Amino acid sequence: MLEFEDIQHILLTRAPALTGRYEFLSFKDPAGARTWLAEILPKVQSAKAMRESVNKEKRWITIAFTWNGLRALGVDEAALATFPQEFRDGMVARARMLGDTGANAPVHWVDKTASPDLHAIAILFARDASERERCAVDHAKLIAECKGVEVLSSLDLEATPPFDYAHDHFGYRDRLSQPIIEGSGDEPTPGSGAALKAGEFILGYPDESGVVPLLPKPDVLSRNGSFMAYRRLEEHVGKFRDFLRTEGKTPQEQELIAAKLMGRWRSGAPLVLSPDKDDPALGADPQRNNNFNYKEQDPQGYAVPLGSHMRRMNPRDTAASMNRHRMIRRGATYGGHLPEGMPDDGTERGIAAFVICASLIRQYEFAQNVWVNDRNFHKLGNERDPIIGAQDGTLEYKIPKRPIRRKIVGLPAFTTVRGGAYFFLPGLKALRWLAAAGKRAESQLGTTL
Amino acid sequence: MSNASDENDWTKPAAMAIPKGGFFPDRVEEGRYGPMFPKTPACYGFSVVAKVKPGREQVVRDYGKSIEEAVKADPSVLAPLQLHYLRWVLFDVGSGMHFMYQGIFDTDFDKYLEDALEIFLKTGINTVFTNLEGFPEDWKTNLPAVIKFFREHQCPSFLEYGEYPYVSADEVKKALRVKAALSEMLDQMQ
């Protein structure tokens, strides 16, 4: 039985938000940090509270910490040492393996998330911009009252028009293939596979191997928690549109190229089910838009190229142990919309997203290192993910086609990593435990004396 | 991120001497669990060597039969590993009974460690390791410790050779299929 009242809402629910804001925090004083946490804690909704209040609520808050942040809050070294190595290392130390090199390297990140002083993130999802502004002002007041709490950077989120469905700046419909957690009350859509064991995403429950994996200590800190990989990914919209125009003579051909990179038409319609022309009704229909496989329906990649983004991020029935590599994705777009036909204005715009999983190394890092950046994924030889892979202009992209495949050489980078970090997302009880760490230390000191 | 530009001419046998430690310092590729062993003319592979717990030799030996049975029951059970060969050896050269587990793969084993261990678990291969000294007692719940054991007991090669270098098991099977089809076609034309 999932403890909905203890699990932070972001793990199990999606806020109906059009805007939001991430604030990246640093703690210079443990007591000040705990004061901040104690004050903001009542505003952090559990999955249960979120579900009960979603229609009247206008904002949703999530709190998570880096490993350094847990130390800054006063978690002792013995407990800190029980966290997984990759979380202790942090995303910056894992950059080479993740493919964050060249223009993607942490040295170029713009939001100070590469700093060891990054300790926490406060995630705000808001129904509209005025609610976001109200919350931002409130939070600034709170921070001013908490000794040693500093904002390293912040990022405002904006949905991109049209607002009737979620999509990125390139125009691809988003949120189409999310894993469902057993016992969450949600049902997988056709083709999405069975619901997955909670332990794949939430600490303290059996995972797909049938056991509860070893947890960080103490249990009160780890239970109902999870890990989050944050990625701020700039999307080079002008470059992407130029590429489509170069590679496709007609608007129809350009749409097909865009679809071949993703594996879906920008409407969301999967190429497996609609290989030759777009079908927006299919793309918008959750009962149909995920209902396909690869092994029988597209083994050679004639519809969905073997190296396409969708096929790499979820190889479905063509990967071993698929259920051990699933991830929950949350997040939003940021930066202003670039209208079609307008030249790139140089503004940074992109996706700022979280990958949530129980094991960063087995789930997120595997996906990033192998599925996204292995040049020889599916024996492709010289490719990486065409949308989010580490592209340096030397790689290719193959589009299977009868009688002869099409090969695009020198694929440009359509995205650049602008920030990133690993966070631990505690349950509500754990947040209370962290907020009370100072009192515990004082009372222990009192006992000793 | 493997370097696939080394897909050399399969008609030219090739040998590769590998520096001490198993990596080429100037082109070592970083993996999730540390540096990854390179692809050689004999494809990917590992040689894991560990001491057998006293009195467990026969138990380990019996696993040979159980793997044989598992593959007979489901010939595709090890397919995701993209194996060419497995070789299990028990030996004692004066320092006690040791077990050597050698595998030749097309998969970059370092990249798919968890998947491989999952398959080992399904086929019971994992439990053979419980008879080896140093294998973590909490192996069922502590995957990182199992991976650490594997990496610490891996004895990297210092020479690998391929008579038909870098050719995958899939390509070998494809060639044999073409040969069989051709033979059949020629038979039909008699």
Side-chain angles (χ1 to χ4, degrees), chain A residues 61-110:
Chain A
I61 291 167
T62 301
I63 300 295
F65 303 98
T66 62
W67 191 60
N68 287 340
L70 292 174
R71 177 182 281 120
L73 275 165
V75 175
D76 65 56
E77 292 300 322
L80 288 168
T82 64
F83 278 81
Q85 186 65 50
E86 67 278 11
F87 174 66
R88 283 151 42 194
D89 289 347
M91 191 179 274
V92 172
R94 318 273 292 176
R96 261 182 67 201
M97 179 271 297
L98 293 170
D100 294 344
T101 53
N104 297 308
V107 68
H108 302 302
W109 293 357
V110 295

Side-chain angles (χ1 to χ4, degrees), chain B residues 47-96:
Chain B
S47 307
V48 171
V49 181
K51 196 169 185 182
V52 178
K53 286 178 183 170
R56 303 281 183 88
E57 179 188 342
Q58 190 54 44
V59 183
V60 172
R61 205 172 281 282
D62 291 344
Y63 272 100
K65 196 71 194 162
S66 67
I67 299 304
E68 181 187 308
E69 295 298 330
V71 175
K72 207 181 282 173
D74 176 6
S76 67
V77 68
L78 300 178
L81 297 173
Q82 298 183 34
L83 273 162
H84 286 251
Y85 301 105
L86 281 185
R87 243 184 207 155
W88 286 14
V89 180
L90 280 164
F91 64 92
D92 183 352
V93 285
S95 54

Side-chain angles (χ1 to χ4, degrees), chain A residues 60 76 99 105 120 126 157 172 231 244 263 268 299-300 312 314-315 339 364 383 397 411 423 442:
Chain A
W60 300 270
D76 65 56
L157 310 168
Y172 292 110
R231 301 290 271 180
L244 295 184
Q300 314 292 338
R312 281 179 180 264
N314 185 358
Y364 170 69
E383 291 189 22
Y397 188 68
L411 196 73
F423 293 100
E442 280 165 24

Side-chain angles (χ1 to χ4, degrees), chain A residues 105-232:
Chain A
V107 68
H108 302 302
W109 293 357
V110 295
D111 55 2
K112 298 186 185 160
T113 49
S115 163
D117 294 334
L118 173 67
H119 292 150
I121 181 171
I123 302 168
L124 167 77
F125 289 125
R127 227 177 248 283
D128 51 47
S130 62
E131 179 63 9
R132 178 183 64 202
E133 295 318 308
R134 188 190 68 76
C135 293
V137 170
D138 273 5
H139 195 221
K141 270 189 219 156
L142 169 62
I143 284 173
E145 289 162 8
C146 299
K147 190 181 165 199
V149 178
E150 292 171 10
V151 179
L152 291 178
S153 70
S154 61
L155 182 69
D156 281 340
L157 310 168
E158 311 282 354
T160 54
F163 299 119
D164 52 343
Y165 69 100
H167 56 96
D168 71 352
H169 285 282
F170 295 145
Y172 292 110
R173 180 186 282 270
D174 203 358
R175 305 176 187 170
L176 287 162
S177 183
Q178 288 277 359
I180 298 295
I181 301 175
E182 200 175 275
S184 67
D186 297 325
E187 289 297 323
T189 56
S192 303
L196 300 176
K197 299 285 179 203
E200 290 297 316
F201 309 101
I202 312 172
L203 302 188
Y205 299 86
D207 65 19
E208 287 284 319
S209 75
V211 298
V212 180
L214 204 63
L215 298 175
K217 298 291 173 202
D219 286 354
V220 65
L221 177 58
S222 60
R223 185 163 179 83
N224 290 319
S226 191
F227 292 99
M228 295 199 310
Y230 171 66
R231 301 290 271 180
R232 172 170 168 165

Side-chain angles (χ1 to χ4, degrees), chain B residues 4 35 37-38 42 47 84-85 89 107 128 139 146-147 158-159 163 176 181:
Chain B
F37 294 105
S47 307
H84 286 251
Y85 301 105
V89 180
T107 330
V128 75
W139 61 273
V146 176
I147 289 168
F158 63 94
L159 172 73
E163 178 65 24
L176 292 174

Side-chain angles (χ1 to χ4, degrees), chain A residues 292-446:
Chain A
F292 59 90
N293 67 30
Y294 296 127
K295 215 186 259 178
E296 284 92 32
Q297 291 180 266
D298 191 26
Q300 314 292 338
Y302 285 118
V304 178
L306 299 175
S308 63
H309 177 66
M310 179 174 79
R311 204 155 178 158
R312 281 179 180 264
M313 294 310 292
N314 185 358
R316 296 177 182 239
D317 54 344
T318 56
S321 311
M322 188 59 225
N323 288 351
R324 301 284 276 155
H325 302 299
R326 299 302 305 277
M327 296 159 280
I328 293 171
R329 253 193 79 222
R330 297 283 186 261
T333 47
Y334 68 93
H337 171 63
L338 186 69
E340 196 65 51
M342 295 283 286
D344 206 324
D345 54 6
T347 303
E348 189 194 330
R349 51 175 63 82
I351 295 177
F354 302 94
V355 170
I356 304 177
C357 53
S359 168
L360 289 165
I361 197 167
R362 171 168 60 80
Q363 293 161 280
Y364 170 69
E365 289 191 343
F366 173 82
Q368 185 69 26
N369 176 249
V370 182
W371 284 347
V372 172
N373 279 328
D374 185 354
R375 294 200 293 189
N376 207 25
F377 174 79
H378 279 336
K379 299 197 168 62
L380 288 165
N382 194 28
E383 291 189 22
R384 287 189 183 136
D385 187 302
I387 307 286
I388 64 168
Q391 299 287 348
D392 57 6
T394 65
L395 304 178
E396 59 197 31
Y397 188 68
K398 293 179 275 296
I399 302 175
K401 193 178 164 189
R402 291 186 184 97
I404 299 169
R405 73 182 180 194
R406 177 167 183 185
K407 185 161 88 174
I408 296 169
V409 292
L411 196 73
F414 299 123
T415 55
T416 304
V417 183
R418 292 292 184 201
Y422 287 158
F423 293 100
F424 175 62
L425 176 76
L428 273 291
K429 271 185 211 150
L431 288 177
R432 287 192 280 274
W433 183 85
L434 286 166
K439 280 185 197 149
R440 269 198 310 280
E442 280 165 24
S443 68
Q444 276 168 7
L445 199 61

